[in-house]
Amino acid sequence: STQSTWAIRDPIRDPIRDPIRDPIRDPIRDPIRDPIREPLLREPRYRDSFREKDNFRRVEVDRRPPTSFDKMTIKLLNLYLEKRWNPETRMLDLSALSEADELAEVAPNLNSVTFCNKLAQAIAEGQAWAKSLDSMNLSSNGIYTLRPLSNAFRNRNVQLQNIAFNKNRISELAETEFLADLRLREVMFTDNPIAKRGDEYHKFVVKGLRTIELLDTVSVKEWRKQLLPALPEACDSCMSDEDNAKMIFEVCRLYFKCIDECNYDAIIDAYDKDAFFTHISEPTTKIYSSHTTKQYHQNLQHRNHNLLLNSNIRNPTRFVFKGRPAIIEFLRKDVYWAGKFRHDVATFKADGITMGETIVATVHGSFSYLIGEDDKRYWRCFDRTFVLKPNKTGTEWPARIANDMLIIRAHQISPIVLPETDLKAKLMQLTGLNQNFAQLLLKEAGNSYDQAMHLFQQNKAAGAIPPEAYS
């Protein structure tokens, strides 16, 4: 037994005596397979010590099939967790877990990878209340590293919003970064060595854990504001500067020429490598005779960044595209995928302000397009906001787009005059439409009641009116 132990710890490895490197395994002297030391290795407090002393390879004891000891650990944990669960506050109180008499046989240690995995498994698989779990109290457990616990919770998909690590031994600020993947709302480190570092501690945790709203029961809004970079002062419109105005329209000329010619490879250089793109398309009540045309406009609605849509409320970043490949793919396959587009830059209107070297430009215009086999040319208006940065790469683009927001709306050649209240109310009364859809119908009908009723009958006959259009 003593000789086997020194076969692991000896820094000068002997290929004959070392059971790890010996191709002919000796079951007596192999510390992994030795039946005498097997129970010792299965106990969590000894596993980590053997793993740390093995300088040549990590002993993956956790990958072996579960034993009676593993099953006993899970069973004891299930009983203990059930006892410590509070359904009213949806909190699991595991304070002083390491000193719990009920778990003395399994030697609970929240710094141990093995025990943390067992704890996460017991929470995720063994308890019906795990889906209701909201908070966890891990105070007074002698925790000095958060890596084993956070990895175990992440791997087992243990969902939490609040964790308390009060009265532990966490002394390194970097340890808090392991909690980032858990997407916590509140975290507490009171009475830990790191909490004594004051403002440095607050800013480090708030910067590393971007989802938290409360740190040690205090709102992090003020600390988060201090971490934001100071923005340069905004100036008046930069369009009075001939160079800036020329640069904005030159970017538009090059950009929309590439769109009209379907030259998407050339547009890649127009965007910064970390650029963002969002798109919002206003709904339409038009009836399209071509299936491809109808499909194109429906697709614009489904791939919409409108944050009022239920799907986007659940996932606000669903249609936020980051990086040149993602942006170009969306432009090519969704916004301009099925037709021949025509933009007349000479008719565009633009404005902009400078913020240091950055220019925020808004562009207003219209475009026409033919879709697939449909020989009718359609018109839409658009508003586009470009955040432009200087292009220092020497290409033909005078600036690069750091942020791009596109809004597509109904085509209009004259200002919209809001309908009289009684006209809209009359339309709502006769059609059963709610206020928003009645307003949209009148808008597309040019504020003509007869035309609005005609459009309503067409849409109703075609089954194109969604259920949410009615009151």
Side-chain angles (χ1 to χ4, degrees):
S1 173
T2 304
Q3 187 176 3
S4 302
T5 305
W6 281 105
I8 298 176
R9 299 177 59 193
D10 190 356
I12 305 176
R13 295 280 178 157
D14 182 352
I16 297 177
R17 292 171 54 247
D18 188 354
I20 296 175
R21 298 176 60 187
D22 189 355
I24 304 175
R25 290 288 184 130
D26 182 356
I28 303 298
R29 292 191 294 116
D30 188 346
I32 301 177
R33 300 172 60 188
D34 189 345
I36 298 176
R37 293 181 58 201
E38 183 74 14
L40 192 63
L41 281 171
R42 289 201 178 278
E43 199 164 345
R45 63 170 175 258
Y46 289 107
R47 281 194 193 180
D48 291 338
S49 62
F50 281 117
R51 186 177 293 120
E52 291 170 1
K53 291 175 183 178
D54 184 3
N55 298 322
F56 271 71
R57 76 169 186 179
R58 179 173 177 172
V59 182
E60 298 288 351
V61 292
D62 294 337
R63 295 186 179 180
R64 295 177 301 180
T67 64
S68 57
F69 182 83
D70 298 321
K71 295 177 181 178
M72 181 190 73
T73 303
I74 296 297
K75 185 175 182 179
L76 289 174
L77 281 172
N78 282 336
L79 295 173
Y80 184 77
L81 296 178
E82 186 71 36
K83 178 181 176 182
R84 306 294 290 182
W85 166 247
N86 186 335
E88 295 181 359
T89 60
R90 298 195 298 177
M91 185 181 75
L92 190 59
D93 185 4
L94 300 182
S95 57
L97 172 72
S98 56
E99 300 175 2
D101 294 336
E102 300 96 317
L103 300 177
E105 297 174 72
V106 297
N109 179 6
L110 289 173
N111 299 305
S112 162
V113 174
T114 303
F115 182 79
C116 288
N117 287 337
K118 294 291 186 294
L119 176 63
Q121 180 181 348
I123 294 173
E125 298 179 357
Q127 299 293 345
W129 45 259
K131 294 181 180 179
S132 303
L133 181 60
D134 186 69
S135 305
M136 186 177 293
N137 183 6
L138 294 173
S139 303
S140 305
N141 276 300
I143 299 173
Y144 58 82
T145 177
L146 298 174
R147 185 172 188 172
L149 190 69
S150 60
N151 286 347
F153 283 179
R154 181 193 63 204
N155 294 337
R156 287 288 181 176
N157 196 28
V158 176
Q159 301 290 330
L160 289 166
Q161 291 198 41
N162 317 304
I163 301 184
F165 293 102
N166 301 332
K167 298 182 181 179
N168 280 291
R169 295 188 291 144
I170 303 168
S171 58
E172 297 293 332
L173 290 174
E175 289 291 332
T176 63
E177 294 181 329
F178 292 118
L179 300 174
D181 291 338
L182 300 183
R183 304 184 66 80
L184 300 170
R185 189 185 68 86
E186 179 181 7
V187 65
M188 289 186 281
F189 293 106
T190 307
D191 294 330
N192 277 272
I194 57 171
K196 298 178 181 178
R197 298 170 72 167
D199 204 39
E200 179 190 6
Y201 151 70
H202 296 142
K203 291 183 178 180
F204 188 93
V205 175
V206 170
K207 184 178 181 180
L209 306 181
R210 297 182 179 273
T211 59
I212 66 167
E213 300 173 12
L214 298 171
L215 174 60
D216 298 333
T217 70
V218 179
S219 173
V220 302
K221 289 183 179 180
E222 291 302 319
W223 291 316
R224 210 175 288 284
K225 287 180 182 178
Q226 296 177 23
L227 292 171
L228 291 174
L231 294 174
E233 291 293 330
C235 303
D236 294 334
S237 173
C238 66
M239 300 306 288
S240 57
D241 187 318
E242 186 177 344
D243 291 338
N244 287 333
K246 183 179 179 181
M247 185 269 289
I248 292 173
F249 278 101
E250 180 64 13
V251 170
C252 290
R253 185 188 67 79
L254 292 172
Y255 186 93
F256 291 106
K257 179 183 178 182
C258 293
I259 292 293
D260 294 347
E261 296 176 354
C262 299
N263 187 7
Y264 297 102
D265 291 339
I267 301 180
I268 292 178
D269 197 50
Y271 286 95
D272 187 71
K273 63 181 181 66
D274 296 319
F276 284 89
F277 178 89
T278 55
H279 152 260
I280 298 174
S281 183
E282 189 179 74
T284 176
T285 61
K286 290 184 181 295
I287 298 295
Y288 301 103
S289 57
S290 166
H291 173 72
T292 306
T293 306
K294 182 179 179 181
Q295 185 181 7
Y296 167 73
H297 290 94
Q298 287 180 345
N299 187 62
L300 286 181
Q301 292 301 304
H302 295 156
R303 305 278 284 174
N304 203 332
H305 185 56
N306 183 356
L307 295 180
L308 297 179
L309 298 177
N310 290 332
S311 57
N312 292 340
I313 291 175
R314 293 190 295 269
N315 185 6
T317 61
R318 183 183 178 198
F319 293 122
V320 176
F321 300 94
K322 180 182 179 182
R324 289 180 286 194
I327 294 173
I328 299 303
E329 190 77 357
F330 180 70
L331 291 174
R332 184 173 62 86
K333 288 190 174 182
D334 291 277
V335 180
Y336 303 112
W337 69 277
K340 297 178 181 179
F341 291 80
R342 183 186 301 166
H343 296 80
D344 186 1
V345 179
T347 63
F348 290 0
K349 305 297 181 183
D351 197 0
I353 59 171
T354 58
M355 301 180 72
E357 290 186 333
T358 302
I359 294 180
V360 180
T362 55
V363 180
H364 313 276
S366 60
F367 62 95
S368 62
Y369 52 99
L370 294 169
I371 301 294
E373 69 279 4
D374 194 343
D375 57 357
K376 181 180 179 180
R377 181 168 288 276
Y378 297 92
W379 287 84
R380 300 294 292 273
C381 288
F382 74 90
D383 301 303
R384 202 141 187 176
T385 302
F386 291 121
V387 177
L388 303 174
K389 296 169 58 177
N391 184 7
K392 301 178 181 179
T393 60
T395 60
E396 64 173 336
W397 296 89
R400 273 191 163 166
I401 303 169
N403 194 299
D404 183 2
M405 183 175 68
L406 170 63
I407 300 176
I408 300 177
R409 49 187 173 79
H411 182 256
Q412 58 194 63
I413 57 176
S414 60
I416 294 177
V417 179
L418 295 177
E420 297 178 8
T421 306
D422 58 347
L423 183 60
K424 183 169 60 176
K426 181 180 178 181
L427 186 64
M428 292 170 60
Q429 182 180 3
L430 292 177
T431 62
L433 295 175
N434 59 36
Q435 183 176 352
N436 291 335
F437 276 82
Q439 176 72 48
L440 178 62
L441 196 63
L442 283 167
K443 177 181 175 181
E444 293 212 355
N447 202 23
S448 169
Y449 176 78
D450 293 336
Q451 181 64 20
M453 286 299 298
H454 178 68
L455 285 174
F456 172 76
Q457 296 297 339
Q458 276 190 323
N459 280 275
K460 185 176 180 180
I465 301 177
E468 59 268 22
Y470 296 98
S471 302

